[in-house]
Amino acid sequence: MSMPLPSLYPFLHYADPEAALRFLKQAFGCEERVVYRKPDGALAHVELTLGHGLVMFGGAEGGRLKLAASKEVPLKNQGIYVVVTDPDALYARAKAAGASIAMELHDTDYGSRDFSALDPEGNVWSFGTYQPLAVTPPKG
């Protein structure tokens, strides 16, 4: 049985998408799926994979990203959660790459091992062993 393709893909904006691309690959081990560039060579759209997940991003100019990048629209509590099998190794990698750790590596009450780090523009990336779709939610 094959899994259907996801219908939910997070996207981010970056004032410096080139720096974000380098950081996300170095600190978190993201891999390039596609990188589309404008005629002048600037990044237009990036898709990175990490495990079985995918995140998209681009620069802050134009379209929906212009609104998201506006200083008049405060973005708070934005983040991405990534399921990983070895959070300890990824934590060490992120620290070695200079990532700002927002939440130290710890064990949760619900059985996950988690940590959170900030990317260069303040987006929160959380990593842990908790797999939401593998757990049956309690009826209530």
Side-chain angles (χ1 to χ4, degrees):
M1 181 174 132
S2 67
M3 294 270 305
L5 292 175
S7 58
L8 185 65
Y9 295 95
F11 75 90
L12 298 168
H13 68 89
Y14 290 100
D16 187 346
E18 294 285 355
L21 178 60
R22 287 189 302 274
F23 176 84
L24 295 173
K25 289 168 53 177
Q26 181 182 8
F28 302 150
C30 293
E31 297 181 7
E32 292 179 15
R33 180 175 180 276
V34 297
V35 175
Y36 296 109
R37 293 189 177 272
K38 298 176 184 177
D40 67 0
L43 284 176
H45 176 81
V46 177
E47 294 175 12
L48 296 179
T49 60
L50 187 57
H52 297 290
L54 182 142
V55 63
M56 301 181 295
F57 71 86
E61 73 291 334
R64 66 179 182 260
L65 297 179
K66 183 177 181 182
L67 174 62
S70 169
K71 299 291 185 203
E72 297 168 13
V73 180
L75 298 177
K76 295 184 179 179
N77 301 318
Q78 303 288 335
I80 293 176
Y81 179 76
V82 182
V83 178
V84 296
T85 57
D86 190 351
D88 293 78
L90 185 57
Y91 174 83
R93 178 183 182 149
K95 283 195 72 139
S100 174
I101 303 300
M103 182 177 61
E104 291 293 330
L105 186 64
H106 69 286
D107 295 317
T108 69
D109 293 340
Y110 49 90
S112 186
R113 185 143 174 86
D114 292 356
F115 78 95
S116 296
L118 303 178
D119 67 23
E121 296 192 21
N123 295 300
V124 179
W125 288 69
S126 295
F127 302 91
T129 56
Y130 177 72
Q131 172 47 277
L133 294 177
V135 176
T136 302
K139 294 185 181 197

